[in-house]
Amino acid sequence: MNSIKNFEGNLTEAAKVANNVESTNVSSVKTAESARPQRSTTKSQFWGVITKARRAFNNQLHKDNAVKLECVEHYIPTITTDDVKFWADYMDEVNVLLDSRKFGKECSDLGIDPTTLATHIIFLGVGMRNKVMKYGIRSAIGNDYILYKDKFVSEDAMQFVLDYEPEKRKESTETAA
């Protein structure tokens, strides 16, 4: 009789151990299911390309707008095969600056084209864009705005800018042909 009671005790202990193992497995499955998946949004990938391009540009010995554009175009294929989509996203970010009355007024006061300056500010990154939006051009980038008076993006990219009109030279050549 004593051995039957001992057997039942061992059986009960074995059941408890099995139950603990099962509940541990269930809780680990629940944890895996409830963990938030990593979100990969276009914007974060977009800013990743801008960051890589800016770092590559900063490491160049000769820095000009052609090199800047080349750096951006080099990293576009890392997120998309559609260059047009990338430039549409780029110009969406430019449009954020162009929507700001404060930015427009300050560009006017400085005598600089807001669209051209905005394309360069986006190249400097989201942090710089936000800083310009919050504190203004002079406070954020100082006198460096003078370096950003020439356009570096293509005409194809410029089509996505708010209220952009193509250059008159291009239109006159198309009508002459």
Side-chain angles (χ1 to χ4, degrees), residues 6 13 28 35 38 42-43 50 60 62 66 72-73 84 92 97-98 101 104 106-108 112 122 134 150 159:
N6 196 10
E13 289 298 316
S28 68
Q38 291 289 337
T42 306
K43 296 295 181 198
I50 297 302
Q60 301 303 309
H62 302 285
V72 172
E73 288 176 339
V84 175
D92 281 347
L97 281 168
L98 295 178
R101 288 187 201 151
E106 197 171 358
C107 284
S108 176
I112 192 162
I122 296 306
K134 187 171 184 177
D150 296 327
Q159 69 182 332

Side-chain angles (χ1 to χ4, degrees), residues 13-14 19 23 37 39 46 51 70 80 89 116 121 125 140 148 175:
E13 289 298 316
N19 191 24
S23 67
R39 291 189 301 158
F46 168 82
T51 301
E70 190 176 341
T80 183
D89 290 344
T116 302
I121 290 171
Y148 307 133
T175 53

Side-chain angles (χ1 to χ4, degrees), residues 43-63:
K43 296 295 181 198
S44 64
Q45 290 177 340
F46 168 82
W47 287 113
V49 167
I50 297 302
T51 301
K52 289 175 185 175
R54 187 178 60 253
R55 286 180 183 154
F57 180 74
N58 289 340
N59 290 328
Q60 301 303 309
L61 292 176
H62 302 285
K63 297 177 184 176

Side-chain angles (χ1 to χ4, degrees), residues 91 120 131:
M91 293 308 172
H120 287 279
K131 194 173 176 184

Side-chain angles (χ1 to χ4, degrees), residues 96-107:
V96 169
L97 281 168
L98 295 178
D99 278 343
S100 167
R101 288 187 201 151
K102 179 181 175 183
F103 180 77
K105 182 180 179 338
E106 197 171 358
C107 284

